[in-house]
Amino acid sequence: MMSRPCVTVLNAGPGMGFYVPGVIMARQLNEAGVPAKVHVFESFYKRDKKNIIPRMKSKFHKSFSFALMGQNIASDPGGALDEELVAALYKSWIQEKRQYFVVFSGFWIPVLNRFLEMTDSAYFRIDLCHLDADYSVSWKMHDCRFPSARTHWFHSWENRKVNYHMDVDASDPIPFHDRNNNLVIHGGGWGLGDFEAKGEELIHTHFSMSVIVYEDPDSEKVNPKADYYFLDPKWNIWELNENNEHTFPPLYYLNKAANNQKELLDNSHSSPLYKIVRNSKAIISKPGAGTLIDSLSSATPLITLEPYGNSENKNGMLWKAYGLGMSFEDWRETNFSTAVLEQIHRNLLNIRSETPNFITSYINHHGL
């Protein structure tokens, strides 16, 4: 029996919206018997360039306006790459006869182009995956046309279309009335925006809250109706686990009964954040690509906060157009209605049932 080819999954930061879907895809391919390997773009940075990222993460978290400015002046990060590491990567791809590439970030385009020039590109199967509803920063920088590539828009504002869902944990969505009366509140992978303030506004509603924080919560501002979870800003997407694999971001429960002692949640098989999302009535967050995937996979309504740039703005517009979410301000006008959330949940179920699961479609198309 012939062995199956290895699928190379190429993802990147700066947040989690392109990183986590790549980890999900690689894991599910491996579980289906298809070998898969994740490569994170930032793993191949020079050491001094890597050291800048945690500092930028902290600055972006503290100032959303600074984060927006940083996005507007973003430049091609190719100059940060360590060419010795890239050469070693090419060597391993050649030795292992890699032919199948799934690309979640446009930052990889020049690296992939150089590899194709070194080899016979006629044998390659390249799938370019746009997770935002419009071109995100990494995809705007490069010519993404490959002779043998297929381009996939999971969500497209231009065509007003939701084309795929990603079944995050291979489980059916939990019925709305079986869920906790809970809201998940977060600011994406880098904790951007005024999400914590929105939680304070919901104190007098009947909802409980799961708030993702990126530093120890201020004891004077602790929301009495919230459970807090800590996403460690010191963890970076290029870090590997004990099996030399990329894994889901570590998430800690802050135990209020034990002076906010940090208790690490299990992230060995799936995202601990997603487990909370699928049991909740809504997500309150900026409309990042990863949040759209979580929302559709779990049929959890998305209440959108201020978007991080144009692509996230289009994400929110698309979700609103399909009735899959609404802005926090519009939800406030309904007096934070549960009935509205239930209708959005039904809309998400309908769209989910009408769209193919991308990973299953990928396996079937390539006959893997």
Side-chain angles (χ1 to χ4, degrees):
M1 182 177 178
M2 291 183 61
S3 61
R4 288 170 159 177
C6 181
V7 175
T8 305
V9 179
L10 302 176
N11 60 5
M16 303 296 177
F18 306 138
Y19 170 80
V20 171
V23 174
I24 292 168
M25 182 163 189
R27 293 210 172 192
Q28 292 190 14
L29 286 173
N30 280 309
E31 289 167 1
V34 179
K37 174 72 173 178
V38 173
H39 295 297
V40 174
F41 188 78
E42 288 84 351
S43 299
F44 301 91
Y45 274 10
K46 301 169 186 173
R47 184 178 298 275
D48 63 324
K49 299 299 182 182
K50 274 186 179 179
N51 292 339
I52 294 173
I53 293 177
R55 297 199 297 270
M56 294 302 296
K57 188 187 298 186
S58 176
K59 289 180 179 179
F60 280 22
H61 169 65
K62 292 176 180 177
S63 172
F64 191 58
S65 60
F66 181 80
L68 288 171
M69 182 179 68
Q71 186 186 64
N72 291 334
I73 62 173
S75 58
D76 182 2
L81 294 174
D82 183 322
E83 289 302 323
E84 289 187 7
L85 295 178
V86 175
L89 180 67
Y90 288 155
K91 183 178 179 180
S92 70
W93 286 356
I94 292 171
Q95 289 175 340
E96 297 169 18
K97 299 180 180 179
R98 302 280 186 96
Q99 293 176 270
Y100 291 82
F101 294 86
V102 181
V103 187
F104 284 102
S105 170
F107 289 149
W108 278 102
I109 297 301
V111 176
L112 199 53
N113 264 324
R114 286 162 55 192
F115 182 64
L116 297 183
E117 292 170 0
M118 299 164 53
T119 54
D120 187 347
S121 60
Y123 292 97
F124 290 99
R125 303 293 180 265
I126 301 170
D127 290 78
L128 308 176
C129 298
H130 295 266
L131 303 183
D132 285 305
D134 199 355
Y135 287 98
S136 58
V137 170
S138 73
W139 290 107
K140 285 181 179 179
M141 293 182 176
H142 307 291
D143 184 346
C144 301
R145 292 171 293 183
F146 291 96
S148 61
R150 296 193 308 155
T151 299
H152 309 277
W153 286 89
F154 277 53
H155 324 102
S156 173
W157 174 248
E158 181 179 0
N159 297 321
R160 308 297 195 273
K161 186 74 173 170
V162 179
N163 294 305
Y164 296 103
H165 74 273
M166 183 175 282
D167 195 350
V168 171
D169 67 352
S171 300
D172 292 332
I174 296 173
F176 190 79
H177 289 286
D178 292 344
R179 300 180 180 217
N180 299 326
N181 194 42
N182 187 64
L183 307 171
V184 177
I185 305 176
H186 68 75
W190 281 20
L192 304 183
D194 65 343
F195 59 97
E196 289 188 70
K198 294 299 187 288
E200 293 171 11
E201 189 171 339
L202 293 162
I203 288 176
H204 301 296
T205 69
H206 62 283
F207 294 104
S208 62
M209 286 162 265
S210 296
V211 182
I212 313 303
V213 296
Y214 305 80
E215 53 191 26
D216 291 334
D218 187 334
S219 59
E220 295 181 0
K221 297 181 179 179
V222 165
N223 184 334
K225 297 186 69 176
D227 284 324
Y228 287 90
Y229 297 83
F230 178 69
L231 187 61
D232 190 350
K234 295 179 181 178
W235 179 83
N236 296 294
I237 59 175
W238 56 80
E239 295 180 19
L240 303 172
N241 66 8
E242 63 276 6
N243 297 319
N244 207 36
E245 298 171 331
H246 290 285
T247 189
F248 297 103
L251 188 67
Y252 298 81
Y253 171 64
L254 298 183
N255 189 338
K256 288 189 286 189
N259 197 28
N260 282 340
Q261 179 177 321
K262 296 181 177 69
E263 300 174 2
L264 182 63
L265 303 180
D266 180 21
N267 70 340
S268 57
H269 299 291
S270 61
S271 163
L273 175 57
Y274 183 75
K275 293 175 186 176
I276 303 170
V277 165
R278 69 187 302 270
N279 276 286
S280 297
K281 295 286 177 67
I283 310 166
I284 299 176
S285 176
K286 64 185 188 63
T291 302
L292 297 193
I293 288 173
D294 287 351
S295 171
L296 186 54
S297 175
S298 62
T300 303
L302 174 57
I303 304 300
T304 61
L305 305 180
E306 182 180 353
Y308 177 49
N310 180 66
S311 59
E312 288 197 2
N313 183 48
K314 297 295 176 57
N315 292 347
M317 291 167 64
L318 184 66
W319 241 233
K320 183 175 181 178
Y322 269 92
L324 310 180
M326 63 196 309
S327 71
F328 187 89
E329 291 72 22
D330 287 344
W331 190 41
R332 183 197 290 131
E333 290 297 315
T334 73
N335 197 28
F336 303 117
S337 166
T338 300
V340 167
L341 297 182
E342 185 172 5
Q343 180 58 57
I344 294 173
H345 166 76
R346 289 196 291 267
N347 296 343
L348 284 157
L349 287 176
N350 290 337
I351 293 294
R352 189 183 191 279
S353 69
E354 296 168 1
T355 56
N357 176 356
F358 177 75
I359 298 172
T360 302
S361 298
Y362 178 86
I363 293 172
N364 292 338
H365 176 83
H366 290 293
L368 298 172

